[in-house]
Amino acid sequence: MPVTQAPVWNFYAGPAALPRPVLQQAQDELLDFAGTGMSVMETSHRAKPYVAVQADAAARLRELMGIPDTHRVLFLQGGATLQFAMVPLNLRRAGQPAAYVHTGEWAGKAFQEARKLGDTTLLGSSEDTRFDRIPSLGSPPEDLAYVHLTSNETVQGIQWQAWPELGDAPLVADMSSDILSRPLDVGRFGLIYAGAQKNLGPSGVTVVIVRDDLVARGPASLPTMLSYATHVKADSMYNTPPTFAIYLLREVLAWMAKEGGLEAIAARNRRKAARLYGVIDKHPDLYRGHAQREARSHMNVTFRLPDPAIEQAFLKLAEAHGLVGLAGHRSVGGCRASIYNAMPEAGVEALALFMEGFARQGA
């Protein structure tokens, strides 16, 4: 059955659009997965057909990201929000504070959670300019347990375009909203975590990529399910994994490989972002971008219009044109176009043309 065009262009920030071929594949296999006569949702997670899915998902992730042998791949639950606690519980050391860079909504939540659990310091913040930039860090203090950053802020629409030099402190990154959107050197990171519901698949599974020596840091007193060592030893099957979410994640990774891998995906993401920022820059009296140019996100394009009434008119008319999910986060308002990997250039072009038409209408 051929893949048909979606009835709408989905710009929601998460759960977000999935690739149409992946949805078609899931539909085709929903009642009979791998010749089992059952859905993958019904198959035992210990049965060979599902075990092969999870192993293939990990292998595909390793290949796409170039994950070195020094790092383990885990499929966990609880979203990135649970990782806000698991990271400090496992990685903090006595006499060594954890350091955080505060760049917006999600970095702030991670920082506040870590503060509940022990010695935590703020290495840098852009709160003074309403999180429109990546702050300057300077030289970090010695003897840090780790440094945590959020690679892309979905609410404010800012993104790290280069990674900081931090000496010997392990770098930990919440990459929930831009993982696999561009190539990166995984070896520079001690730990990467990402909720799947932006670029990797549906909600319900969280990917953790953790270096072996950091797995060993976790104290024996940790609750069993909060220890990375538990999940490494059990190959992410200490309890029943979110099987359908991992199956779909595997299919998304296969789709990415067919699309040309991370170099091709990154080039497409740059083009998509440039098209929308070009419209914003062309009409600065109407579209007011939030992020400073050097920190603009390639995943979440945030902007405002002159007043709330115009914003509401813009959003209502956009939805009538099949452009949905463009309202900004409830904490800040405004508008936001989330253009993750699964958003094709045709969808971005449809939005850009709509924005240009709306500008001409108001001129």
Side-chain angles (χ1 to χ4, degrees):
M1 183 182 298
V3 176
T4 57
Q5 177 54 54
V8 298
W9 294 115
N10 178 359
F11 292 96
Y12 280 113
L18 287 165
R20 297 290 288 180
V22 170
L23 294 174
Q24 185 69 65
Q25 178 77 13
Q27 183 183 53
D28 291 346
E29 294 185 337
L30 187 62
L31 299 180
D32 185 3
F33 164 68
T36 63
M38 298 175 286
S39 171
V40 70
M41 290 184 283
E42 303 172 290
T43 306
S44 169
H45 64 290
R46 304 292 182 184
K48 288 183 179 179
Y50 175 75
V51 171
V53 166
Q54 187 160 312
D56 190 39
R60 287 181 179 276
L61 189 66
R62 283 189 172 279
E63 183 176 1
L64 277 168
M65 294 187 71
I67 299 172
D69 292 340
T70 52
H71 289 61
R72 303 304 106 205
V73 173
L74 301 175
F75 298 119
L76 305 182
Q77 300 176 64
T81 303
L82 181 57
Q83 295 307 307
F84 296 166
M86 282 187 72
V87 166
L89 285 171
N90 282 267
L91 270 57
R92 186 182 275 113
R93 285 174 160 174
Q96 291 184 313
Y100 281 68
V101 184
H102 189 6
T103 50
E105 181 82 10
W106 302 110
K109 288 182 183 297
F111 174 59
Q112 292 301 328
E113 193 74 0
R115 289 180 66 188
K116 299 176 184 177
L117 299 168
D119 190 8
T120 306
T121 186
L122 197 59
L123 192 59
S125 174
S126 54
E127 187 172 11
D128 59 331
T129 56
R130 295 172 46 245
F131 304 116
D132 66 346
R133 61 187 172 86
I134 301 297
S136 176
L137 302 185
S139 299
E142 295 182 0
D143 253 359
L144 294 173
Y146 62 89
V147 176
H148 179 284
L149 60 83
T150 302
S151 59
N152 182 77
E153 289 282 359
T154 60
V155 176
Q156 285 80 17
I158 67 167
Q159 186 177 32
W160 288 79
Q161 302 300 337
W163 309 118
E165 298 293 338
L166 299 169
D168 294 331
L171 182 58
V172 175
D174 175 359
M175 293 190 179
S176 294
S177 54
D178 66 349
I179 193 169
L180 287 170
S181 68
R182 53 183 170 172
L184 78 157
D185 179 5
V186 176
R188 290 194 60 179
F189 296 83
L191 189 149
I192 293 168
Y193 63 92
Q197 65 272 16
K198 318 287 189 180
N199 265 341
L200 289 175
S203 58
V205 61
T206 304
V207 168
V208 174
I209 303 165
V210 57
R211 205 169 65 206
D212 286 333
D213 63 301
L214 298 183
V215 174
R217 277 195 191 182
S221 59
L222 279 180
T224 303
M225 284 293 289
L226 297 180
S227 170
Y228 290 130
T230 295
H231 302 291
V232 169
K233 184 177 180 180
D235 198 19
S236 301
M237 287 195 185
Y238 182 79
N239 68 329
T240 305
T243 55
F244 190 61
I246 293 171
Y247 157 78
L248 282 172
L249 182 148
R250 191 272 299 265
E251 297 305 320
V252 170
L253 295 174
W255 171 80
M256 288 184 189
K258 291 177 182 176
E259 291 292 299
L262 296 192
E263 292 285 357
I265 286 171
R268 187 165 64 200
N269 287 335
R270 287 192 296 269
R271 292 194 299 269
K272 292 188 299 185
R275 180 69 173 103
L276 293 184
Y277 287 122
V279 176
I280 290 170
D281 292 340
K282 183 179 178 181
H283 303 282
D285 292 336
L286 180 62
Y287 301 119
R288 302 169 183 181
H290 176 73
Q292 294 185 19
R293 285 176 183 263
E294 65 275 10
R296 284 173 163 176
S297 171
H298 290 175
M299 298 284 97
N300 309 96
V301 178
T302 55
F303 58 96
R304 301 202 71 105
L305 283 81
D307 63 59
I310 297 176
E311 284 180 352
Q312 288 306 308
F314 173 87
L315 293 170
K316 184 177 181 180
L317 189 59
E319 188 163 351
H321 282 74
L323 306 165
V324 303
L326 288 168
H329 190 269
R330 61 187 179 278
S331 65
V332 297
C335 302
R336 170 178 58 180
S338 296
I339 52 174
Y340 304 122
N341 290 351
M343 172 58 68
E345 288 183 87
V348 171
E349 183 63 19
L351 175 57
L353 292 174
F354 171 79
M355 291 173 68
E356 289 172 341
F358 191 85
R360 287 193 300 271
Q361 184 183 45

